[in-house]
Amino acid sequence: TSRGDQRLRQVSTVSRGLAERVVCMTVIGRQASLEELRLRLEDRWSPELHIDCFENRYNRGWFWLTVHDVEASKDRAVAELMADCGLTGAELVVFGDAENDLGMFGAADRAIAVENAVAPLLKRATEIIGPNTDDSVAHFIRDDWRRMAAARA
């Protein structure tokens, strides 16, 4: 990469990428070829991997196939970070817009979806805010902090 981080690089073949120790792999392509790859990966690695294939909502016609160990999920990462920082039991507020946020939404006290999120996420949200194109997450955080500060005063 331009920043010299050798962990982030394009590999010549998917099998080469799978032969290395990776946390997450994303393959971008057209639906038909990714669906075939998804089926092959699920057939071989299903119990060990979490695999999602979805259309990039911001670049229609291109699909993303994400592959990661079942232990490497957003909800597990958030739980570990909270424990490491001594925040176990603290309120967990998360934001999301895509399928890969569903697990994290299930673990949160407040699960906030942007209005242009995918339907399954909107159904699990405890609150829906404006679209991500309007900086709605940043505005929500600012307003929520102000509300909490006013309540403490």
Side-chain angles (χ1 to χ4, degrees):
T1 68
S2 62
R3 295 192 175 135
D5 188 338
Q6 292 303 306
R7 296 171 302 165
L8 307 174
R9 65 188 181 284
Q10 182 173 346
V11 292
S12 56
T13 66
V14 172
S15 57
R16 177 171 163 84
L18 290 172
E20 297 183 24
R21 184 179 170 118
V22 296
V23 173
C24 179
M25 175 177 63
T26 302
V27 180
I28 301 170
R30 299 297 182 184
Q31 184 176 18
S33 61
L34 292 185
E35 193 60 28
E36 179 184 334
L37 177 58
R38 182 187 66 79
L39 291 171
R40 289 175 43 208
L41 290 171
E42 283 179 350
D43 185 50
R44 170 74 169 85
W45 300 98
S46 161
E48 299 171 49
L49 297 177
H50 180 84
I51 303 168
D52 283 312
C53 188
F54 54 92
E55 185 174 25
N56 181 319
R57 296 174 31 248
Y58 307 107
N59 195 357
R60 297 291 183 187
W62 289 97
F63 285 73
W64 287 33
L65 177 75
T66 61
V67 182
H68 57 83
D69 187 282
V70 293
E71 301 287 323
S73 62
K74 288 184 178 185
D75 51 309
R76 286 180 177 262
V78 167
E80 280 195 39
L81 284 170
M82 289 182 75
D84 288 350
C85 294
L87 296 172
T88 302
E91 180 185 39
L92 175 60
V93 180
V94 300
F95 300 86
D97 69 344
E99 289 90 346
N100 64 349
D101 297 316
L102 283 167
M104 186 174 62
F105 266 41
D109 298 298
R110 291 196 294 166
I112 302 167
V114 291
E115 73 179 26
N116 57 320
V118 295
L121 207 66
L122 291 170
K123 289 178 186 172
R124 296 204 51 194
T126 57
E127 189 168 345
I128 299 170
I129 59 176
N132 61 352
T133 55
D134 292 345
D135 294 330
S136 297
V137 172
H139 293 299
F140 178 90
I141 292 170
R142 179 199 60 211
D143 296 343
D144 199 47
W145 284 0
R146 286 179 178 166
R147 180 189 57 76
M148 288 188 300
R152 283 191 299 260

